Amino acid sequence: MKPFQWIFLGLGATALTANSASKQKDDSRPNVIFLVADDIGYGDLSCYGEKTIHTPNVERLAAQGLRFTDAHSVAATSTPSRYALFTGHYSWRRNDTGIAAGNAGMVIRPEQYTVADMFKQRGYSTGAIGKWHLGMADKTGEQDWNGHITPGPSDIGFEYSYLMAATGDRVPCVWVENEHVVNADPNDPIEVSYTTPFPGEPLGKDHPEMLTKLKPSPNHGHDQAIVNGISRIGYMKGGKRALWEDENIADSITCKAVQFIKGHKDKPFFLYVGTNDVHVPRYPHPRFVGKSGMGYRGDALLQFDWTVGKILDALEENGLAENTLIILTSDNGPVVDDGYADRAVELLGNHRPWGDFRGGKYSIFEAGTRVPLIVAWHVKVKPGVSDALVSQIDFFASMAHLIDGNIEEGAAPDSRNALPTLLGKNKKGRKYIIEKANAISVSDGEWKYIPACNGRTFDNLTNIELGNSDVDQLYNLKNDRGEKVNLATQHPEVVARLKAILQKEQGN
Ligand code: NG6
Ligand code: CA
């Protein structure tokens, strides 16, 4: 294992004083950080009431900010969720925003206008660090992993980027900084394929003895290329010098985020930090291992919490705590076994990652998309709890309103200004939200309607109820948070009202 990178990069010892002068004082141009967790559920953070895990740094943020109880991602998996977050365009309007492979082309096309473009155009420095999962280069399979991977994040508004292409469980297992693989070696070129194994490269399914860190769960399919004693989805060859080590992923992301904050303390910035925690493969740094009593999944939650703490510290140390708006959320709901034998199910005990909601990641039931959300901005947001109905689709327009109230013609077509709600000036939420897993749903906060659709009701691999049904479903979320009683036949008028909204939004 490499030395603990935090110390390695010399950041741990940096004794910045809390009053190191910041030139940033303009309230109309705060720094903005989108801190997006991966697969962290509504019940995974102690500030949401679960007593089984303690996440003190998220509590510290929640104590300074507004914690939302009815906040939603647009989708129940990462790619469509992040697509909507960055573009303000519903991912379900396109048929190519599903879970992206590690060699997928750019899902957000360069001509699209993103929230990062919006900030950049207003003079902000912009950065994207951590999990990307939105494709790189023009077309699938056409990346130059040994040269300039273009088009890339810089074409959709991110001036700086340090990213994993897709997920921890997908090749290539390398960091891509400013569109170049870090530590790429011309003598050991990287090749990636999602269709054809490379002759001579061992695969997890044939070489279980090489899986020294984690083994795949049966039948999930994470049994292809072996990187660092963990088999992944996809095939990869070369780039030995560039491969990440799973136990250092959180440190790398956190270091880069802290460096970005420090390096931009004199000018407003927009920073997206996508953590890898708690997506699979979960392989936290040894200093977190065994600390949760819940195995690697719980330990990875503590690691996430540590990242949050380091980011808050960096803001304080650089004199930016007062003038930075932080939005902490998750891309989709939780899953316990998502492909690796990490004993997460066995060690879960009484912990309920989904809180009191039904379903989980991949599901149209509430746990798929009802996510943690904390908005904090020093004196501008009065600490507390908001039950307003909010959707990540509105972050884009809200951020434009934060700065100057303008939004470019045609940009973020589905995004509405929710700034007063996000800042707690208003308890009024959205009139309705639309979400998509396999099924689509519309909810006004009280009633949720899921039209009949095709698809499995249950996923045996992850043990999650997906919410698909061949009959219409209607739930009253105020009386029935667990979506147990289908009231569609009792309340046809409510079904008709919500169906009309959905049809109008879908353009039919
Ligand atoms: C699924 C993977 C799962 C995870 C997910 C993406 C299988 C059986 N499962 O296809 O392990 O990688 O994709 O998760 O392949 S997400 O949070 O990035 O959307
Ligand atoms: Ca996710």
Side-chain angles (χ1 to χ4, degrees):
M1 196 196 323
K2 277 186 208 151
F4 170 32
Q5 291 187 355
W6 194 257
I7 292 158
F8 184 61
L9 290 180
L11 288 170
T14 317
L16 285 169
T17 50
N19 53 7
S20 56
S22 160
K23 296 199 183 85
Q24 296 192 38
K25 290 288 172 222
D26 183 356
D27 274 358
S28 66
R29 294 169 67 77
N31 308 301
V32 175
I33 300 179
F34 283 7
L35 182 42
V36 183
D38 201 351
D39 298 358
I40 289 188
Y42 191 88
D44 270 327
L45 304 169
S46 53
C47 63
Y48 276 87
E50 290 294 318
K51 301 276 177 270
T52 37
I53 192 104
H54 185 41
T55 45
N57 289 297
V58 182
E59 282 190 8
R60 173 178 158 200
L61 182 68
Q64 300 166 22
L66 196 57
R67 181 172 65 79
F68 288 83
T69 63
D70 205 358
H72 298 256
S73 59
V74 168
T77 51
S78 157
T79 303
S81 170
R82 289 166 210 258
Y83 172 89
L85 178 75
F86 286 147
T87 63
H89 181 231
Y90 283 127
S91 31
W92 49 260
R93 296 199 189 281
R94 282 174 48 171
N95 60 11
D96 58 353
T97 58
I99 299 170
N103 67 346
M106 295 263 285
V107 178
I108 303 176
R109 303 306 300 172
E111 58 276 12
Q112 279 185 274
Y113 194 75
T114 68
V115 70
D117 284 312
M118 186 279 294
F119 277 113
K120 189 178 154 198
Q121 202 165 317
R122 285 156 177 76
Y124 275 58
S125 296
T126 54
I129 295 172
K131 176 171 179 169
W132 185 237
H133 212 187
L134 288 166
M136 293 180 173
D138 189 35
K139 292 199 176 75
T140 297
E142 293 193 0
Q143 296 80 6
D144 179 3
W145 297 111
N146 307 290
H148 188 187
I149 306 163
T150 182
S154 70
D155 297 289
I156 54 170
F158 291 102
E159 294 168 314
Y160 172 77
S161 59
Y162 178 84
L163 300 165
M164 67 168 51
T167 57
D169 57 350
R170 285 176 174 76
V171 299
C173 301
V174 296
W175 290 110
V176 183
E177 187 166 34
N178 294 327
E179 300 165 6
H180 292 80
V181 171
V182 179
N183 288 331
D185 178 357
N187 297 316
D188 184 21
I190 296 168
E191 293 177 65
V192 173
S193 171
Y194 274 76
T195 53
T196 324
F198 295 101
E201 291 297 314
L203 302 180
K205 64 179 157 67
D206 306 324
H207 289 278
E209 80 287 355
M210 291 177 72
L211 304 178
T212 51
K213 289 186 177 169
L214 279 174
K215 300 197 190 328
S217 302
N219 306 320
H220 284 243
H222 302 64
D223 58 1
Q224 300 174 341
I226 303 173
V227 178
N228 291 318
I230 301 176
S231 49
R232 322 270 167 165
I233 305 173
Y235 307 105
M236 178 179 183
K237 189 180 175 194
K240 294 277 174 296
R241 204 172 74 177
L243 300 174
W244 70 50
E245 284 184 278
D246 296 78
E247 55 270 54
N248 291 329
I249 289 176
D251 285 350
S252 300
I253 292 172
T254 308
C255 270
K256 291 292 180 181
V258 167
Q259 280 179 337
F260 184 93
I261 290 167
K262 206 173 149 191
H264 293 86
K265 64 176 177 201
D266 296 326
K267 193 178 160 229
F269 63 78
F270 165 63
L271 175 62
Y272 156 72
V273 183
T275 69
N276 176 55
D277 295 317
V278 295
H279 198 280
V280 295
R282 305 169 189 124
Y283 201 75
H285 192 275
R287 68 189 189 281
F288 300 105
V289 171
K291 295 285 157 44
S292 70
M294 241 178 257
Y296 288 159
R297 187 176 187 279
D299 300 342
L301 281 167
L302 302 183
Q303 185 168 262
F304 170 78
D305 185 68
W306 171 83
T307 295
V308 174
K310 284 292 167 194
I311 289 174
L312 297 182
D313 290 349
L315 292 171
E316 283 169 17
E317 287 163 2
N318 289 287
L320 301 173
E322 287 183 21
N323 204 28
T324 301
L325 169 64
I326 305 175
I327 298 186
L328 179 149
T329 191
S330 185
D331 65 340
N332 52 253
V335 53
V336 186
D337 181 356
D338 206 17
Y340 291 92
D342 59 9
R343 300 178 67 215
V345 174
E346 194 186 330
L347 298 172
L348 200 61
N350 295 324
H351 182 62
R352 292 176 306 161
W354 42 84
D356 51 358
F357 298 111
R358 188 173 179 184
K361 181 177 178 177
Y362 310 111
S363 177
I364 197 63
F365 287 136
E366 283 295 282
T369 50
R370 192 180 298 212
V371 287
L373 172 66
I374 298 167
V375 178
W377 181 15
H378 202 60
V379 291
K380 294 283 183 168
V381 173
K382 214 166 120 229
V385 177
S386 172
D387 298 326
L389 181 67
V390 297
S391 168
Q392 293 176 356
I393 196 74
D394 291 337
F395 288 1
F396 189 145
S398 305
M399 292 304 103
H401 280 265
L402 174 73
I403 305 176
D404 59 15
N406 294 320
I407 192 148
E408 281 67 9
E409 179 94 32
D414 296 310
S415 191
R416 304 282 172 268
N417 177 25
L419 193 63
T421 314
L422 292 174
L423 298 184
K425 302 207 173 355
N426 193 328
K427 293 254 174 228
K428 231 178 92 208
R430 249 189 173 255
K431 285 204 177 72
Y432 58 84
I433 56 163
I434 300 180
E435 302 162 309
K436 175 98 166 58
N438 173 57
I440 199 162
S441 74
V442 55
S443 159
D444 62 8
E446 181 180 8
W447 294 98
K448 175 170 166 187
Y449 167 59
I450 310 169
C453 71
N454 296 321
R456 292 171 300 143
T457 54
F458 192 75
D459 181 48
N460 290 317
L461 292 175
T462 55
N463 204 21
I464 287 173
E465 292 186 284
L466 298 173
N468 304 315
S469 170
D470 50 15
V471 298
D472 278 0
Q473 296 174 82
L474 181 74
Y475 297 103
N476 187 298
L477 295 173
K478 296 289 177 219
N479 305 328
D480 176 24
R481 280 163 73 87
E483 295 167 286
K484 291 289 180 212
V485 188
N486 181 1
L487 297 173
T489 45
Q490 279 96 315
H491 293 281
E493 74 295 347
V494 182
V495 169
R497 176 170 61 83
L498 294 176
K499 190 183 253 178
I501 292 173
L502 203 49
Q503 285 174 343
K504 185 162 170 255
E505 284 280 359
Q506 289 177 304
N508 52 31

